[in-house]
Amino acid sequence: MIKIFEGLSALSPFRKEKLISQAKCISKSIDSLDVKYLHILELNDELSPLENDEIASLLNYNKEYGQANPQGSTFIVAPRTGTISPWSSKATDIIHNIGISKVKRVERVSLVGVKGNVSSEELEQIKALFFDRMVEQ
């Protein structure tokens, strides 16, 4: 069983401005870009309302970065298939340590949105700005 918790913005204001600047070097047609975290939980059983609230509270970080609303052409950046990220290992341990054993694994991915009149070739170049090919896809 899979459950997805939406997170907040994955980008600090400084990092967001830097990425917009880099993306505009690829395509002047970019209106905006935004990135937010999604947390994907693999569950052994349905969460109780209390467990759901506790996990939602744990995964509500980066409050200083605010909300994100990826729009336009969207794509997901995730750890490479078949790997477990260090973030996943630590977050899963924390959830287990607060007594929630129904969570088999939690992984964090990024939902990226690029808004503007961008060609598919430009979008492919822009995608490369958002992930490390060695550990993400």
Side-chain angles (χ1 to χ4, degrees):
M1 177 181 323
I2 301 291
K3 182 166 179 88
I4 298 174
F5 285 83
E6 290 190 27
L8 299 172
S9 178
L11 300 176
S12 68
F14 174 78
R15 180 78 175 126
K16 184 175 180 175
E17 287 305 314
K18 184 176 179 183
L19 282 168
I20 289 172
S21 176
Q22 291 173 319
K24 284 192 182 248
C25 289
I26 296 168
S27 173
K28 302 279 187 223
S29 303
I30 291 177
D31 296 326
S32 67
L33 62 84
D34 219 344
V35 184
K36 77 174 172 181
Y37 287 129
L38 299 176
H39 305 92
I40 303 169
L41 280 68
E42 184 179 356
L43 304 172
N44 295 321
D45 198 6
E46 188 95 16
L47 296 172
S48 72
L50 178 61
E51 291 168 329
N52 194 73
D53 290 347
E54 287 175 339
I55 291 172
S57 177
L58 281 174
L59 299 176
N60 190 20
Y61 52 90
N62 283 355
K63 291 179 185 175
E64 66 274 15
Y65 297 169
Q67 296 288 331
N69 187 20
Q71 298 178 0
S73 299
T74 59
F75 56 94
I76 300 273
V77 176
R80 283 191 150 314
T81 303
T83 65
I84 298 174
S85 73
W87 186 95
S88 172
S89 296
K90 190 64 175 174
T92 303
D93 285 347
I94 290 168
I95 290 170
H96 289 165
N97 286 337
I98 64 168
I100 302 175
S101 60
K102 295 176 184 174
V103 176
K104 187 173 180 181
R105 178 176 169 212
V106 58
E107 188 59 80
R108 178 176 70 179
V109 302
S110 299
L111 174 63
V112 181
V114 179
K115 191 173 179 185
N117 190 16
V118 180
S119 72
S120 58
E121 294 83 19
E122 291 170 331
L123 185 60
E124 288 303 311
Q125 291 177 37
I126 291 167
K127 283 180 182 181
L129 299 173
F130 289 91
F131 70 100
D132 177 351
R133 292 175 193 219
M134 294 297 288
V135 294
E136 296 173 314
Q137 61 185 26

